Each structure stands twice: as C-alpha cells, then as structure tokens.
Amino acid sequence: MGTIHVPDDTEELLPEGEHIARIEAVEEYEGKSGMLSLHWVFSVRTAIFDAFKVECWTSLEPGANKQWKLRTFLKALELPHKGELHINTEEIVGKTCRIAVSHDTYKDQVQVRVDEILGLAEPEEFEQAYKDPFANC
C-alpha cells in the first residue's frame, strides 16, 4: 500500500478566475484610520465549495481615483455610478453576478481577492454552480 496525501481542507482557497456569486451583504465600514468604505460579502458555489465567502472593500472617500473600484462595481451591476451617488444597499444585496478573483498575500497568508464584478448573472446560474461531487456514490 502506498501513501495517500489528503490536504487539510481548511487550507483550500477558491480557485482564481471567474465565478458566479451572490452578493450577501454590503455595509458601510469605518477603518482604523477613519476612512469610510463599503464592505462587500459574496457567496460563491463551486463543485467543492457549497458557500465560499469572499470579502472586499471599496472606498467611499472623495479624491482622485479612490472610488474607482466602487464605481466599476456599480456599473457592472447596472446601477448609477457617475457623479454624486446615493447607494441603496438593499438594491444590491441578493443580486447574482460574475466576479473575477485572484490570490494575494497579506501578512504572509494567501487570501482570495475580488478583482472585479464582470456583470450580472441569472440567479439560476448561482444555484446550478454547486454540483454535489458525491451525488453518484
């Protein structure tokens, strides 16, 4: 008998690339430095993960290029994204979208980073994204 390596499942990361996600939460957040941002929580389903959570923050601070990610996210969600904004987070939570993620190292730990929202997706796409790998066993 040979040796079989089974990786620690707590170390699994959502694979880099494009995924169907549902926006679970969008909340105003004040960082330690006092800077305001929106905290986004996405739920992603894959053949391995039934509900993998991915988080990111978009700046609400005025100034050159500080809001670029926020405005890009809103545009991809087909919401107002130019000029002065009045964001109703209730209109955002529950939307299904396509996101691009990559891996990034922060304080010597690899984390999943949401690079962008690529556009809206149908809710059925999210529901079908998870296929039980043990269904036929």
Side-chain angles (χ1 to χ4, degrees):
M1 288 248 159
T3 303
I4 299 173
H5 172 72
V6 179
D8 180 354
D9 64 354
T10 60
E11 296 177 8
E12 291 292 325
L13 292 174
L14 183 67
E16 293 181 302
E18 186 178 319
H19 297 278
I20 302 295
R22 181 172 50 220
I23 302 170
E24 301 293 343
V26 180
E27 300 171 341
E28 192 171 357
Y29 174 82
E30 184 174 344
K32 291 178 185 176
S33 65
M35 295 186 68
L36 293 177
S37 62
L38 284 183
H39 175 222
W40 300 69
V41 179
F42 298 88
S43 180
V44 177
R45 301 176 109 186
T46 70
I48 298 171
F49 302 107
D50 180 23
F52 191 92
K53 301 289 184 201
V54 184
E55 300 175 290
C56 72
W57 289 261
T58 55
S59 178
L60 293 173
E61 294 295 317
N65 296 323
K66 289 187 178 180
Q67 298 175 352
W68 69 270
K69 193 168 193 174
L70 169 66
R71 292 177 183 276
T72 301
F73 277 22
L74 295 174
K75 182 178 180 181
L77 294 171
E78 300 177 6
L79 295 169
H81 60 280
K82 294 183 179 180
E84 185 175 331
L85 299 172
H86 299 278
I87 300 168
N88 180 352
T89 58
E90 291 177 6
E91 291 179 10
I92 298 172
V93 173
K95 285 190 179 285
T96 304
C97 57
R98 293 179 296 111
I99 61 173
V101 302
S102 62
H103 294 166
D104 193 22
T105 302
Y106 178 72
K107 294 186 178 180
D108 296 324
Q109 290 192 345
V110 179
Q111 300 177 339
V112 176
R113 180 180 74 197
V114 178
D115 294 321
E116 63 181 310
I117 295 178
L118 302 168
L120 291 171
E122 295 298 322
E124 296 80 28
E125 292 180 79
F126 178 79
E127 297 304 324
Q128 294 172 2
Y130 175 72
K131 303 282 191 267
D132 186 353
F134 303 106
N136 296 323
C137 293

